[in-house]
Amino acid sequence: MKKHKKKDIPSGIYAHFGKTLQAVARTSEGQWLAAGLWEFGVWEPETGDVYAYSWTDFARGRYQGEGAQLTLTFIDGEREPLTFVLTSDDAVTFVAAILERVDDSIVYQEFAQLASGQTVSAQIRRKSDGTLFAQVPWGVSDSDDDRTILAALEHSVKEAVGE
C-alpha cells in the first residue's frame, strides 16, 4: 500500500489534528479525509477549511470496496449521511482507522423494538475527555408508548455501566 508523503497532505489537516492524526485518504472530489483520535475531518480544496465531526456523532460507518465508497451515518437521523468515493491506494488502512474510531467510541450498546415497530439502539459512548454519556434516539417518535420504551432503554444502558 502506498503512503501519502507529508508534503502532499494539506497543512490545514496537520494544523487541525496535530499529533492525533492517524490516517488520511483522498476522495474523487479532491477532498482529503482525516481520521484523528477524537474526530473525523474533511478538508475542502476550494476553501482550505477542515470540517470536523466527533466520532460520537456517528452511528456507523460502511465501506463498499467495489466502488470505494465510504458512508458515515449520523446518530441524528435527520442529518444526511456523509458519502465519499476514495481514490487513494491506502483506502484499506484509512477505512480500518475510520471504522475502528466509530466503534471505539461505543462502550456498550443495546437494541429495542418500539411500539411503532421500529428497531432502535442506545449506546454508552466515550467522549474525547474520557467521560461517558448515554446516546438515545429520542427524536425517532412522539408516541407515549415509544417514549416509555426509550426511557427504559436509556435506564438499561446506564445501569449496565454503573451510571
Side-chain angles (χ1 to χ4, degrees):
M1 277 183 276
K2 176 185 163 231
K3 291 283 186 190
H4 292 288
K5 294 180 180 171
K6 186 173 181 175
K7 67 180 178 95
D8 296 333
I9 299 170
S11 61
I13 290 175
Y14 285 109
H16 182 87
F17 286 93
K19 293 182 180 183
T20 70
L21 184 64
Q22 294 185 311
V24 295
R26 288 197 57 128
T27 72
S28 62
E29 300 290 319
Q31 302 156 309
W32 282 84
L33 306 181
L37 285 176
W38 314 116
E39 297 175 307
F40 169 74
V42 180
W43 178 83
E44 292 292 344
E46 298 84 31
T47 63
D49 293 333
V50 174
Y51 297 93
Y53 306 87
S54 171
W55 291 120
T56 58
D57 289 345
F58 299 109
R60 65 187 159 279
R62 192 170 118 221
Y63 182 68
Q64 294 175 317
E66 189 172 305
Q69 186 174 352
L70 173 66
T71 303
L72 295 169
T73 304
F74 288 99
I75 290 288
D76 179 356
E78 298 291 312
R79 294 178 77 177
E80 287 292 318
L82 298 177
T83 302
F84 307 96
V85 176
L86 304 180
T87 60
S88 64
D89 294 336
D90 57 353
V92 172
T93 302
F94 180 74
V95 169
I98 292 289
L99 299 180
E100 184 269 335
R101 294 313 313 160
V102 171
D103 288 346
D104 191 52
S105 71
I106 299 172
V107 174
Y108 182 76
Q109 182 173 20
E110 285 186 24
F111 296 87
Q113 185 168 1
L114 300 179
S116 62
Q118 182 179 4
T119 300
V120 296
S121 68
Q123 301 92 18
I124 297 295
R125 305 286 294 259
R126 185 179 320 278
K127 293 182 185 178
S128 61
D129 65 3
T131 59
L132 301 178
F133 71 100
Q135 205 165 43
V136 181
W138 288 103
V140 298
S141 175
D142 289 334
S143 90
D144 288 340
D145 290 342
D146 285 350
R147 294 186 81 58
T148 299
I149 293 168
L150 289 167
L153 183 60
E154 179 177 29
H155 176 75
S156 180
V157 295
K158 284 181 174 181
E159 186 175 67
V161 296
E163 278 194 18

